[in-house]
Amino acid sequence: MPDVTIVGGGPAGAFTARLLASSGRDVTLLEEHHNAGEPVHCAGVISPSLLETYGVRPKLLGTVTSADVVLPDGSAIHTSKRMPYALIIDRMDFDQKLVDRAVTAGTTVKYGVHYKAHDISDKGVTVDTNVGQFRSDILVGADGQNSVIAASLGNNQVKYYLRGIQVDLKYRSEEEEKMILRLGNDIAPGFFSWQLPLGDTTRFGLAVAAQYGTPKQYLDRLLDNLGLAGKERLKTYTGKIPMGGRRTTYSDRLLLIGDAAGQIKPVSGGGLYPISLAAPALKEAVDRAFSTRTFNGTVLSTYERSWRRAMGKSLSRGNWLREYYDRLDDDALNEFGHLFSRPDIVEVLNDIDIDDPGTVIKPILRKKGVKSAVLKAYLRARK
Ligand SMILES: Cc1cc2nc3c(=O)[nH]c(=O)nc-3n(C[C@H](O)[C@H](O)[C@H](O)COP(=O)(O)OP(=O)(O)OC[C@H]3O[C@@H](n4cnc5c(N)ncnc54)[C@H](O)[C@@H]3O)c2cc1C
């Protein structure tokens, strides 16, 4: 009987499979599609250091060395960096390369296999699929934002979803390496929109919480306002971002990772960085379980403690920023934007780490006049 069955061939499943198989585990990865990486529901933004951690070289679509944050009143905060802030990768190619690496490490990958249900007993886990049963000692749920495996644990839904949409337009951005983020309740309430230069094309996307209606209406309006409504739409992608985390990410013989575990950066909705921290924690917990041949929730709970420790500070800073941001109306966003355009603050923003943007909070709060402005906006928003 294999040691571990993983459901889901996205980055969470493939990266975890590679780590486990590299340490000698017998791993079977089940993916319902006939290829890895389809359909794409990601902007493909990743930091250079994170890409190194994943250890693959996907097709590079763009590089970001400067960013404008455009405020509701149309003014902008300009930031730039000597080194790239971010790379824009071909996400399908990235996922496929991650699966290739997992296979090289010894993982057995089965495509076209749709997980239906599972049963856990003293003897192991049995997974029911469209092509029959798979048995193993441990099941890893890496089945994405709509995870049926996460739901099987009961009372384990994420707090809410952001609904995202993006299009690749036949349009060359004026500045080849500039990312433009737009804020405002008419643009993308509760989140932001992104414009990413990809050479001859440009990716425009945004996400909104469900109560604000469909993201498409916001994207159509944005493109209209930018005078780009007539440009050819080469590709459209949609997807949901699970926000607010899940109650639990483990149980007897069961572990969750990635979107299935609600491991998402609160500010940007990015999921690739949390996976890079959670997968080593998962491997350690699995190693511990096999070393004692004990697969119960008590042993596997070390996984949750460990990934929360690895991401803890970053998550709490991010949650703080998200909650604060959610309270701001357009006037407050403009006020902050004007304050943050000050050269001493832009200097801090220039050094932002896109994997953990919350690290700029403390240095910015230390700048003159910022604490009182933050407090004033907070109190006004509470009224
Ligand atoms: C619009 C948008 C833009 C985003 N942009 C970024 C970004 O720029 N940077 C970033 O870091 N993150 C971004 N994200 C988030 C990122 O895409 C996810 O966090 C990431 O894909 C999570 O990886 P995963 O492996 O957990 O899940 P997924 O990538 O969703 O993979 C899950 C896999 O499980 C398979 N599966 C599901 N159910 C079953 C089943 N029953 N049986 C078998 N297989 C199954 C699916 O086919 C899929 O292959 C974005 C998300 C959205 C929606």
Side-chain angles (χ1 to χ4, degrees):
M1 173 164 91
D3 297 333
V4 182
T5 305
I6 299 179
V7 176
F15 191 51
T16 302
R18 191 216 300 179
L19 295 189
L20 291 173
S22 299
S23 66
R25 297 270 160 251
D26 184 347
V27 182
T28 302
L29 179 70
L30 310 178
E31 167 55 49
E32 63 185 359
H33 291 97
H34 292 277
N35 276 309
E38 280 179 294
V40 173
H41 44 73
C42 177
V45 177
I46 191 167
S47 71
S49 61
L50 181 55
L51 191 54
E52 221 157 273
T53 303
Y54 276 105
V56 289
R57 286 174 184 261
K59 276 179 218 146
L60 201 60
L61 304 179
T63 302
V64 175
T65 53
S66 68
D68 278 4
V69 180
V70 180
L71 306 167
D73 67 5
S75 60
I77 307 169
H78 306 283
T79 67
S80 61
K81 214 170 180 169
R82 225 173 299 132
M83 300 292 288
Y85 282 111
L87 305 171
I88 306 159
I89 52 168
D90 180 327
R91 193 33 221 275
M92 194 193 298
D93 190 42
F94 176 68
D95 285 22
Q96 285 170 351
K97 290 197 158 115
L98 284 178
V99 172
D100 289 348
R101 287 290 303 274
V103 170
T104 307
T107 305
T108 304
V109 178
K110 295 193 180 289
Y111 288 112
V113 180
H114 175 73
Y115 159 97
K116 289 184 181 166
H118 68 269
D119 180 61
I120 292 177
S121 73
D122 292 349
K123 301 211 171 68
V125 188
T126 305
V127 172
D128 284 322
T129 75
N130 58 325
V131 298
Q133 292 190 326
F134 292 83
R135 287 183 50 72
S136 58
D137 287 308
I138 290 182
L139 170 63
V140 174
D143 50 336
Q145 41 84 16
N146 239 351
S147 174
V148 178
I149 301 178
S152 77
L153 296 178
N155 182 25
N156 205 23
Q157 295 304 328
V158 292
K159 278 204 184 124
Y160 67 100
Y161 285 98
L162 292 171
R163 293 197 286 169
I165 185 167
Q166 24 178 38
V167 289
D168 289 352
L169 280 198
K170 201 165 176 192
Y171 162 74
R172 201 175 179 92
S173 283
E174 275 164 31
E175 290 184 62
E176 303 248 317
E177 297 193 345
K178 178 182 279 185
M179 167 169 77
I180 302 178
L181 305 178
R182 295 182 172 85
L183 314 181
N185 284 310
D186 288 340
I187 303 279
F191 207 63
F192 56 85
S193 80
W194 55 91
Q195 174 179 340
L196 305 170
L198 310 178
D200 286 336
T201 62
T202 302
R203 181 165 293 168
F204 288 87
L206 53 82
V208 293
Q211 72 264 31
Y212 297 114
T214 66
K216 183 175 181 303
Q217 73 194 54
Y218 290 93
L219 188 63
D220 287 346
R221 189 165 60 202
L222 174 66
L223 295 178
D224 209 14
N225 290 344
L226 294 172
L228 299 173
K231 296 285 176 196
E232 190 183 346
R233 296 183 179 207
L234 300 171
K235 274 187 203 155
T236 302
Y237 320 77
T238 56
K240 290 198 293 182
I241 306 176
M243 301 296 284
R246 297 202 190 260
R247 177 184 60 79
T248 186
T249 59
Y250 68 92
S251 174
D252 292 349
R253 293 186 183 272
L254 176 57
L255 295 162
L256 302 172
I257 186 162
D259 277 12
Q263 291 160 337
I264 285 286
K265 288 189 291 179
V267 176
S268 67
L272 298 177
Y273 178 63
I275 290 168
S276 74
L277 300 177
L282 189 151
K283 178 199 161 289
E284 260 180 47
V286 168
D287 283 348
R288 193 165 299 124
F290 275 97
S291 69
T292 55
R293 300 285 316 162
T294 313
F295 304 103
N296 60 31
T298 311
V299 170
L300 295 181
S301 67
T302 55
Y303 163 61
E304 184 157 310
R305 276 204 297 283
S306 166
W307 76 255
R308 284 198 192 279
R309 204 178 309 123
M311 264 176 252
K313 271 196 182 154
S314 161
L315 272 184
S316 55
R317 279 192 292 253
N319 281 328
W320 185 88
L321 264 182
R322 164 134 300 281
E323 276 170 31
Y324 190 84
Y325 180 75
D326 278 347
R327 288 169 180 273
L328 301 180
D329 59 16
D330 282 359
D331 287 342
L333 283 173
N334 288 329
E335 246 174 67
F336 270 112
H338 302 153
L339 181 69
F340 283 20
S341 302
R342 246 172 43 192
D344 59 330
I345 299 182
V346 168
E347 205 177 298
V348 178
L349 292 173
N350 283 341
D351 278 333
I352 203 163
D353 171 3
I354 65 154
D355 289 328
D356 189 2
T359 49
V360 298
I361 297 176
K362 266 193 189 162
I364 288 182
L365 282 176
R366 273 191 224 115
K367 299 286 177 191
K368 196 170 165 222
V370 174
K371 262 192 202 136
S372 57
V374 168
L375 189 65
K376 220 167 75 186
Y378 181 78
L379 293 174
R380 200 177 51 201
R382 277 165 61 97
K383 280 182 192 159

